[in-house]
Coordinates of all heavy atoms in Angstrom, one line a residue:
M22 N 0.8 -1.2 0.0 CA 0.0 0.0 0.0 C 0.9 1.2 0.0 O 1.9 1.3 0.7 CB -0.9 0.0 1.2 CG -2.0 -1.0 1.2 SD -3.3 -0.9 2.4 CE -2.7 0.1 3.7
R23 N 0.4 2.2 -0.7 CA 1.2 3.5 -0.7 C 0.8 4.3 0.5 O -0.3 4.3 1.0 CB 0.8 4.3 -2.0 CG 1.3 3.6 -3.2 CD 1.2 4.5 -4.4 NE -0.1 5.1 -4.5 CZ -0.5 6.0 -5.5 NH1 0.3 6.2 -6.4 NH2 -1.7 6.5 -5.5
S24 N 1.8 5.0 1.1 CA 1.5 5.8 2.2 C 1.0 7.2 1.9 O 1.4 7.7 0.8 CB 2.8 5.9 3.1 OG 3.8 6.5 2.4
G25 N 0.2 7.8 2.7 CA -0.3 9.1 2.5 C -1.5 9.3 1.6 O -1.9 10.4 1.4
I26 N -2.1 8.2 1.1 CA -3.3 8.3 0.3 C -4.6 8.0 1.0 O -5.6 8.2 0.4 CB -3.1 7.5 -1.0 CG1 -3.0 6.0 -0.7 CG2 -1.9 7.9 -1.8 CD1 -3.1 5.1 -1.9
H27 N -4.5 7.4 2.1 CA -5.7 6.9 2.8 C -6.1 8.0 3.9 O -5.3 8.6 4.6 CB -5.4 5.6 3.6 CG -5.1 4.5 2.6 ND1 -5.9 3.9 1.8 CD2 -3.9 3.9 2.3 CE1 -5.3 3.0 1.1 NE2 -4.1 3.0 1.4
P28 N -7.4 8.2 4.0 CA -7.9 9.2 5.0 C -7.7 8.7 6.4 O -7.6 7.5 6.6 CB -9.4 9.4 4.7 CG -9.7 8.2 3.9 CD -8.5 7.7 3.2
V29 N -7.6 9.6 7.3 CA -7.4 9.2 8.7 C -8.7 8.8 9.3 O -9.7 9.4 9.2 CB -6.9 10.4 9.5 CG1 -6.7 10.1 11.0 CG2 -5.5 10.9 8.9
S30 N -8.7 7.6 10.0 CA -9.9 7.1 10.7 C -9.8 7.4 12.1 O -8.8 7.3 12.8 CB -9.9 5.5 10.5 OG -11.0 5.0 11.2
R31 N -10.9 8.0 12.7 CA -10.9 8.4 14.1 C -12.3 8.2 14.7 O -13.2 7.9 13.9 CB -10.6 9.9 14.1 CG -11.6 10.8 13.4 CD -11.1 12.2 13.3 NE -11.9 13.0 12.4 CZ -11.9 12.9 11.1 NH1 -11.1 12.1 10.5 NH2 -12.7 13.6 10.4
P32 N -12.4 8.2 16.0 CA -13.7 8.0 16.6 C -14.7 9.1 16.3 O -14.3 10.3 16.3 CB -13.4 8.0 18.1 CG -11.9 8.0 18.2 CD -11.3 8.4 17.0
V33 N -15.9 8.7 15.9 CA -17.0 9.6 15.6 C -18.3 9.1 16.2 O -18.5 7.9 16.3 CB -17.1 9.7 14.0 CG1 -18.3 10.6 13.7 CG2 -15.9 10.3 13.4
V34 N -19.2 10.0 16.6 CA -20.5 9.6 17.1 C -21.5 9.9 16.0 O -21.6 11.0 15.5 CB -20.8 10.5 18.4 CG1 -22.3 10.2 18.8 CG2 -19.9 10.2 19.5
F35 N -22.3 8.8 15.7 CA -23.4 8.9 14.8 C -24.7 8.9 15.6 O -24.9 8.0 16.4 CB -23.4 7.8 13.8 CG -22.4 7.9 12.7 CD1 -21.1 7.3 12.9 CD2 -22.6 8.5 11.5 CE1 -20.1 7.4 11.9 CE2 -21.7 8.6 10.5 CZ -20.4 8.1 10.7
R36 N -25.5 10.0 15.4 CA -26.8 10.0 16.1 C -27.9 9.9 15.2 O -28.0 10.6 14.2 CB -26.9 11.4 16.9 CG -28.2 11.4 17.7 CD -28.3 12.5 18.7 NE -27.9 13.8 18.1 CZ -27.6 14.9 18.8 NH1 -27.7 14.8 20.1 NH2 -27.2 16.0 18.3
D37 N -28.8 8.9 15.4 CA -30.0 8.6 14.6 C -31.1 9.5 15.2 O -31.5 9.3 16.3 CB -30.3 7.2 14.7 CG -31.5 6.8 13.8 OD1 -32.1 7.7 13.3 OD2 -31.8 5.6 13.7
R38 N -31.6 10.4 14.4 CA -32.6 11.4 14.8 C -34.0 10.6 15.0 O -34.7 11.0 15.8 CB -32.7 12.5 13.8 CG -31.6 13.5 13.9 CD -31.9 14.7 13.2 NE -31.1 14.6 11.9 CZ -31.2 15.5 11.0 NH1 -32.0 16.6 11.1 NH2 -30.5 15.4 9.9
A39 N -34.2 9.6 14.1 CA -35.5 9.0 14.2 C -35.6 8.1 15.5 O -36.7 8.1 16.1 CB -35.7 8.1 13.0
A40 N -34.6 7.4 15.8 CA -34.7 6.5 17.0 C -34.1 7.2 18.3 O -34.2 6.6 19.4 CB -33.9 5.2 16.7
D41 N -33.5 8.4 18.1 CA -32.9 9.1 19.3 C -31.9 8.2 20.0 O -31.9 8.1 21.2 CB -33.9 9.6 20.2 CG -33.4 10.6 21.1 OD1 -32.5 11.4 20.7 OD2 -33.8 10.7 22.3
T42 N -31.0 7.6 19.2 CA -29.9 6.8 19.7 C -28.6 7.3 19.1 O -28.6 7.9 18.0 CB -30.0 5.3 19.4 OG1 -30.1 5.1 18.0 CG2 -31.3 4.7 20.1
A43 N -27.5 7.0 19.8 CA -26.2 7.4 19.3 C -25.2 6.2 19.3 O -25.3 5.4 20.2 CB -25.6 8.5 20.1
F44 N -24.3 6.2 18.4 CA -23.3 5.1 18.3 C -21.9 5.7 18.2 O -21.7 6.7 17.4 CB -23.5 4.3 17.0 CG -24.9 3.7 16.9 CD1 -25.9 4.3 16.2 CD2 -25.2 2.5 17.5 CE1 -27.1 3.7 16.0 CE2 -26.4 1.9 17.4 CZ -27.4 2.5 16.7
L45 N -21.0 5.2 19.0 CA -19.6 5.7 18.9 C -18.9 4.6 18.1 O -18.9 3.4 18.4 CB -19.0 5.8 20.3 CG -17.5 6.1 20.3 CD1 -17.3 7.5 19.7 CD2 -17.0 6.1 21.7
T46 N -18.3 5.0 16.9 CA -17.6 4.1 16.1 C -16.5 4.9 15.4 O -16.3 6.1 15.6 CB -18.6 3.5 15.0 OG1 -17.9 2.6 14.2 CG2 -19.1 4.6 14.1
T47 N -15.7 4.2 14.6 CA -14.6 4.9 13.8 C -15.1 5.2 12.4 O -15.9 4.5 11.8 CB -13.3 4.1 13.8 OG1 -13.7 2.8 13.2 CG2 -12.8 3.8 15.2
S48 N -14.7 6.4 11.9 CA -15.1 6.8 10.6 C -14.1 7.8 10.1 O -13.3 8.4 10.8 CB -16.4 7.4 10.6 OG -16.8 7.9 9.4
T49 N -14.1 8.0 8.7 CA -13.3 9.0 8.1 C -14.1 10.3 7.8 O -13.5 11.3 7.3 CB -12.7 8.5 6.8 OG1 -13.8 8.1 5.9 CG2 -11.8 7.3 7.0
A50 N -15.4 10.3 8.2 CA -16.2 11.4 7.9 C -15.8 12.6 8.8 O -15.4 12.4 10.0 CB -17.7 11.0 8.2
R51 N -16.0 13.8 8.3 CA -15.7 15.0 9.1 C -17.0 15.7 9.5 O -18.0 15.7 8.8 CB -14.8 15.9 8.2 CG -13.5 15.3 7.9 CD -12.6 16.4 7.2 NE -11.4 15.8 6.8 CZ -10.3 15.7 7.7 NH1 -10.4 16.1 8.9 NH2 -9.2 15.2 7.3
S52 N -16.9 16.4 10.6 CA -18.1 17.2 11.0 C -17.6 18.4 11.9 O -16.6 18.2 12.6 CB -19.0 16.3 11.9 OG -20.1 17.1 12.4
A53 N -18.3 19.5 11.8 CA -17.9 20.7 12.6 C -18.6 20.6 13.9 O -18.2 21.3 14.9 CB -18.4 21.9 11.8
R54 N -19.7 19.8 14.1 CA -20.4 19.7 15.3 C -19.7 18.6 16.2 O -19.1 17.7 15.7 CB -21.8 19.2 15.1 CG -22.6 20.3 14.2 CD -24.0 19.8 14.0 NE -24.7 19.9 15.3 CZ -25.9 19.4 15.5 NH1 -26.5 18.9 14.5 NH2 -26.5 19.5 16.6
T55 N -19.8 18.8 17.5 CA -19.2 17.9 18.5 C -20.2 17.5 19.6 O -21.2 18.2 19.7 CB -17.9 18.5 19.1 OG1 -18.3 19.7 19.8 CG2 -16.8 18.8 18.1
I56 N -19.9 16.5 20.3 CA -20.8 16.0 21.4 C -19.9 15.4 22.4 O -18.8 14.8 22.1 CB -21.8 15.0 20.9 CG1 -22.8 14.7 22.0 CG2 -21.1 13.7 20.4 CD1 -24.0 13.9 21.5
E57 N -20.3 15.6 23.7 CA -19.5 15.0 24.8 C -20.1 13.6 25.0 O -21.3 13.5 25.3 CB -19.6 15.8 26.0 CG -18.7 15.2 27.1 CD -18.6 16.2 28.3 OE1 -18.8 17.4 28.2 OE2 -18.4 15.6 29.4
W58 N -19.3 12.6 25.0 CA -19.8 11.2 25.1 C -19.7 10.8 26.6 O -19.2 11.5 27.4 CB -18.9 10.3 24.3 CG -19.4 8.9 24.1 CD1 -18.9 7.7 24.5 CD2 -20.6 8.5 23.4 NE1 -19.6 6.7 24.1 CE2 -20.7 7.1 23.4 CE3 -21.6 9.2 22.7 CZ2 -21.7 6.4 22.8 CZ3 -22.6 8.5 22.1 CH2 -22.7 7.1 22.2
A59 N -20.3 9.6 26.9 CA -20.4 9.2 28.3 C -19.0 9.0 29.0 O -18.9 9.1 30.2 CB -21.1 7.8 28.4
D60 N -18.0 8.8 28.2 CA -16.6 8.6 28.8 C -15.9 9.9 29.1 O -14.8 10.0 29.6 CB -15.7 7.8 27.9 CG -15.5 8.4 26.5 OD1 -16.0 9.5 26.3 OD2 -14.8 7.8 25.7
G61 N -16.6 11.0 28.8 CA -16.1 12.4 29.1 C -15.3 13.0 28.0 O -15.0 14.2 28.1
N62 N -15.1 12.3 26.9 CA -14.3 12.8 25.8 C -15.3 13.5 24.8 O -16.5 13.2 24.8 CB -13.6 11.7 25.0 CG -12.4 11.2 25.9 OD1 -11.9 11.9 26.7 ND2 -12.2 9.9 25.7
T63 N -14.8 14.4 24.0 CA -15.6 15.1 23.0 C -15.3 14.5 21.6 O -14.1 14.4 21.3 CB -15.3 16.6 23.0 OG1 -15.6 17.1 24.3 CG2 -16.1 17.3 22.0
Y64 N -16.3 14.2 20.9 CA -16.1 13.5 19.6 C -16.9 14.3 18.5 O -17.9 15.0 18.9 CB -16.6 12.1 19.6 CG -15.9 11.2 20.6 CD1 -16.5 10.8 21.8 CD2 -14.6 10.7 20.3 CE1 -15.8 10.0 22.6 CE2 -13.9 9.9 21.1 CZ -14.5 9.5 22.3 OH -13.9 8.7 23.2
P65 N -16.5 14.2 17.3 CA -17.3 14.8 16.2 C -18.7 14.1 16.1 O -18.8 12.9 16.4 CB -16.5 14.5 14.9 CG -15.1 14.3 15.4 CD -15.2 13.7 16.7
L66 N -19.7 14.9 15.8 CA -21.1 14.4 15.8 C -21.6 14.4 14.3 O -21.5 15.5 13.7 CB -22.0 15.2 16.7 CG -23.5 14.9 16.6 CD1 -23.8 13.5 17.1 CD2 -24.3 15.9 17.3
I67 N -22.1 13.3 13.9 CA -22.7 13.3 12.5 C -24.2 12.7 12.8 O -24.3 11.7 13.3 CB -22.0 12.3 11.6 CG1 -20.6 12.9 11.4 CG2 -22.7 12.2 10.3 CD1 -19.7 12.1 10.5
E68 N -25.1 13.5 12.3 CA -26.5 13.1 12.5 C -27.0 12.5 11.2 O -26.8 12.9 10.1 CB -27.4 14.3 12.8 CG -27.1 14.9 14.2 CD -28.1 15.9 14.7 OE1 -29.0 16.2 13.9 OE2 -28.0 16.3 15.8
V69 N -27.7 11.3 11.4 CA -28.2 10.6 10.3 C -29.8 10.5 10.4 O -30.3 10.5 11.5 CB -27.6 9.2 10.2 CG1 -26.1 9.3 9.8 CG2 -27.8 8.4 11.4
E70 N -30.4 10.3 9.3 CA -31.9 10.1 9.3 C -32.3 8.7 9.7 O -33.3 8.6 10.3 CB -32.4 10.4 7.9 CG -32.2 11.9 7.5 CD -33.0 12.8 8.3 OE1 -34.2 12.5 8.7 OE2 -32.5 13.9 8.6
I71 N -31.5 7.7 9.3 CA -31.9 6.3 9.6 C -30.7 5.5 9.8 O -29.6 5.7 9.2 CB -32.8 5.8 8.4 CG1 -33.5 4.5 8.8 CG2 -31.9 5.6 7.2 CD1 -34.6 4.2 7.9
S72 N -30.8 4.6 10.7 CA -29.7 3.7 11.0 C -30.3 2.3 11.4 O -31.5 2.1 11.2 CB -28.8 4.2 12.2 OG -29.6 4.1 13.4
S73 N -29.4 1.4 11.8 CA -29.9 0.1 12.2 C -30.9 0.2 13.4 O -31.7 -0.8 13.6 CB -28.8 -0.8 12.6 OG -28.1 -0.3 13.7
A74 N -30.9 1.2 14.2 CA -31.8 1.4 15.3 C -33.2 1.7 14.8 O -34.2 1.5 15.6 CB -31.3 2.4 16.3
S75 N -33.4 2.3 13.6 CA -34.7 2.7 13.2 C -35.1 2.2 11.9 O -36.2 2.4 11.4 CB -34.7 4.3 13.1 OG -33.8 4.7 12.2
H76 N -34.2 1.4 11.2 CA -34.6 0.9 9.9 C -35.5 -0.3 10.0 O -35.3 -1.2 10.9 CB -33.3 0.4 9.2 CG -33.5 0.1 7.7 ND1 -34.0 -1.1 7.3 CD2 -33.3 0.9 6.6 CE1 -34.1 -1.0 6.0 NE2 -33.7 0.1 5.5
P77 N -36.6 -0.4 9.2 CA -37.6 -1.4 9.4 C -37.0 -2.8 9.2 O -37.5 -3.8 9.9 CB -38.6 -1.1 8.3 CG -38.5 0.3 8.0 CD -37.0 0.6 8.3
F78 N -36.0 -3.0 8.4 CA -35.4 -4.4 8.2 C -34.8 -4.9 9.5 O -34.9 -6.0 9.9 CB -34.4 -4.3 7.1 CG -33.7 -5.6 6.9 CD1 -34.4 -6.6 6.1 CD2 -32.5 -5.9 7.4 CE1 -33.8 -7.8 5.9 CE2 -31.9 -7.1 7.2 CZ -32.5 -8.1 6.5
Y79 N -34.1 -4.0 10.2 CA -33.4 -4.4 11.4 C -34.3 -4.4 12.7 O -34.1 -5.2 13.6 CB -32.2 -3.5 11.7 CG -31.2 -3.6 10.6 CD1 -31.0 -2.6 9.7 CD2 -30.4 -4.8 10.5 CE1 -30.0 -2.7 8.7 CE2 -29.4 -4.9 9.5 CZ -29.3 -3.9 8.6 OH -28.4 -4.0 7.6
T80 N -35.3 -3.6 12.7 CA -36.2 -3.5 13.9 C -37.4 -4.5 13.8 O -38.0 -4.8 14.8 CB -36.8 -2.1 14.0 OG1 -37.5 -1.8 12.9 CG2 -35.7 -1.1 14.3
G81 N -37.7 -5.0 12.6 CA -38.8 -5.9 12.4 C -40.1 -5.2 12.2 O -41.2 -5.8 12.1
N82 N -40.1 -3.9 12.2 CA -41.3 -3.1 12.0 C -41.5 -2.8 10.5 O -41.2 -1.8 10.0 CB -41.3 -1.8 12.7 CG -41.2 -2.0 14.2 OD1 -41.7 -3.0 14.7 ND2 -40.6 -1.1 14.9
T83 N -41.9 -3.9 9.8 CA -42.0 -3.7 8.3 C -43.4 -3.0 8.0 O -44.3 -3.1 8.7 CB -42.0 -5.0 7.6 OG1 -43.0 -5.9 8.1 CG2 -40.6 -5.7 7.8
R84 N -43.4 -2.3 6.9 CA -44.6 -1.6 6.4 C -45.2 -2.5 5.3 O -44.5 -2.9 4.4 CB -44.2 -0.2 5.9 CG -43.7 0.7 7.0 CD -43.4 2.0 6.5 NE -42.5 2.7 7.4 CZ -41.5 3.4 7.0 NH1 -41.3 3.7 5.8 NH2 -40.7 4.0 7.9
V85 N -46.5 -2.6 5.3 CA -47.1 -3.3 4.3 C -47.4 -2.4 3.1 O -48.0 -1.4 3.2 CB -48.5 -3.9 4.8 CG1 -49.2 -4.6 3.7 CG2 -48.2 -4.8 6.0
V86 N -46.9 -2.8 1.9 CA -47.0 -2.1 0.7 C -48.2 -2.8 -0.1 O -48.3 -4.0 0.0 CB -45.7 -2.1 -0.1 CG1 -45.9 -1.3 -1.4 CG2 -44.6 -1.5 0.7
D87 N -48.9 -2.0 -0.9 CA -50.0 -2.6 -1.7 C -49.4 -3.5 -2.8 O -49.4 -3.1 -3.9 CB -50.8 -1.5 -2.2 CG -52.0 -2.0 -3.0 OD1 -52.4 -3.1 -2.7 OD2 -52.6 -1.2 -3.8
T88 N -49.0 -4.7 -2.4 CA -48.4 -5.5 -3.5 C -49.5 -6.2 -4.3 O -49.3 -6.6 -5.4 CB -47.5 -6.6 -2.8 OG1 -48.3 -7.3 -1.9 CG2 -46.3 -6.0 -2.2
A89 N -50.7 -6.4 -3.6 CA -51.8 -7.1 -4.4 C -52.2 -6.2 -5.6 O -52.4 -6.7 -6.6 CB -53.0 -7.3 -3.4
G90 N -52.2 -4.9 -5.4 CA -52.6 -4.0 -6.5 C -51.5 -4.1 -7.6 O -51.8 -4.0 -8.8
R91 N -50.3 -4.2 -7.3 CA -49.2 -4.3 -8.2 C -49.3 -5.6 -9.0 O -49.1 -5.6 -10.2 CB -47.8 -4.2 -7.6 CG -47.6 -2.9 -7.0 CD -46.2 -2.9 -6.3 NE -45.9 -1.6 -5.7 CZ -44.8 -1.3 -5.0 NH1 -43.9 -2.2 -5.0 NH2 -44.7 -0.2 -4.4
V92 N -49.6 -6.7 -8.3 CA -49.7 -8.0 -9.0 C -50.8 -8.0 -10.0 O -50.7 -8.4 -11.1 CB -49.8 -9.1 -8.0 CG1 -50.1 -10.4 -8.7 CG2 -48.5 -9.3 -7.1
E93 N -52.0 -7.5 -9.5 CA -53.2 -7.4 -10.4 C -52.9 -6.5 -11.6 O -53.3 -6.9 -12.7 CB -54.4 -6.9 -9.6 CG -54.8 -7.9 -8.6 CD -55.8 -7.2 -7.6 OE1 -56.1 -6.0 -7.7 OE2 -56.3 -8.0 -6.7
R94 N -52.2 -5.4 -11.4 CA -51.9 -4.5 -12.6 C -51.0 -5.2 -13.6 O -51.1 -5.1 -14.8 CB -51.3 -3.3 -12.0 CG -51.1 -2.2 -13.1 CD -50.7 -0.9 -12.6 NE -49.4 -1.0 -11.8 CZ -49.2 -0.4 -10.6 NH1 -50.2 0.3 -10.1 NH2 -48.1 -0.6 -10.0
F95 N -50.0 -6.0 -13.0 CA -49.1 -6.7 -13.9 C -49.8 -7.8 -14.7 O -49.6 -7.9 -15.9 CB -48.0 -7.4 -13.0 CG -47.0 -8.2 -13.8 CD1 -46.0 -7.6 -14.5 CD2 -47.2 -9.6 -13.9 CE1 -45.1 -8.4 -15.2 CE2 -46.3 -10.4 -14.7 CZ -45.3 -9.8 -15.3
E96 N -50.7 -8.5 -14.0 CA -51.5 -9.5 -14.7 C -52.4 -9.0 -15.8 O -52.6 -9.5 -16.8 CB -52.3 -10.4 -13.7 CG -51.4 -11.3 -12.9 CD -52.2 -12.0 -11.8 OE1 -53.4 -11.7 -11.6 OE2 -51.6 -12.9 -11.2
R97 N -53.0 -7.8 -15.5 CA -53.8 -7.1 -16.5 C -53.0 -6.7 -17.8 O -53.5 -6.9 -18.9 CB -54.5 -5.9 -15.9 CG -55.8 -6.1 -15.2 CD -56.6 -4.8 -15.0 NE -55.8 -3.7 -14.6 CZ -55.6 -3.3 -13.3 NH1 -56.2 -4.0 -12.3 NH2 -54.9 -2.3 -13.0
R98 N -51.8 -6.2 -17.5 CA -51.0 -5.8 -18.6 C -50.5 -7.0 -19.5 O -50.5 -6.9 -20.7 CB -49.7 -5.1 -18.1 CG -49.9 -3.6 -18.0 CD -48.6 -2.9 -17.7 NE -48.9 -1.7 -17.0 CZ -48.1 -1.0 -16.2 NH1 -46.8 -1.5 -16.1 NH2 -48.4 0.1 -15.7
Y99 N -49.9 -8.0 -18.8 CA -49.2 -9.0 -19.5 C -49.9 -10.4 -19.5 O -49.5 -11.3 -20.1 CB -47.8 -9.2 -18.9 CG -47.0 -7.9 -18.9 CD1 -46.8 -7.2 -17.8 CD2 -46.5 -7.4 -20.1 CE1 -46.1 -6.0 -17.8 CE2 -45.8 -6.3 -20.2 CZ -45.6 -5.5 -19.0 OH -44.9 -4.4 -19.1
G100 N -51.1 -10.4 -18.9 CA -51.8 -11.7 -18.8 C -51.2 -12.7 -17.8 O -50.1 -12.6 -17.5
R101 N -52.1 -13.6 -17.4 CA -51.6 -14.5 -16.4 C -50.9 -15.7 -17.1 O -51.5 -16.3 -18.1 CB -52.8 -15.0 -15.6 CG -52.3 -15.9 -14.5 CD -53.5 -16.3 -13.5 NE -52.9 -16.9 -12.4 CZ -52.9 -16.3 -11.2 NH1 -53.5 -15.2 -11.0 NH2 -52.3 -16.9 -10.2
Q102 N -49.7 -16.0 -16.7 CA -49.0 -17.2 -17.3 C -49.4 -18.4 -16.6 O -49.5 -18.5 -15.4 CB -47.5 -16.9 -17.2 CG -47.0 -15.7 -17.8 CD -46.9 -15.8 -19.3 OE1 -46.7 -16.9 -19.8 NE2 -47.0 -14.8 -20.1
S103 N -49.6 -19.5 -17.3 CA -50.0 -20.8 -16.7 C -48.9 -21.8 -16.8 O -47.9 -21.7 -17.4 CB -51.3 -21.4 -17.2 OG -51.3 -21.4 -18.6

């Protein structure tokens, strides 16, 4: 690997606004905002709209989409295959 071409990885706090949870992890992302974490240190803060704490796939709260209407529309267009 060549030296000097990779960004610096450092601890960053990601806060999910939807679930009101925060995660301390490492990242190369930059932020002007900071937050004081439970360990007393100050870390850069990056706010996200959705994370594993609020995503329906990970939480099990799936939304029902009108798939029956889509199937019926497809069958009207292309006919039912037997």
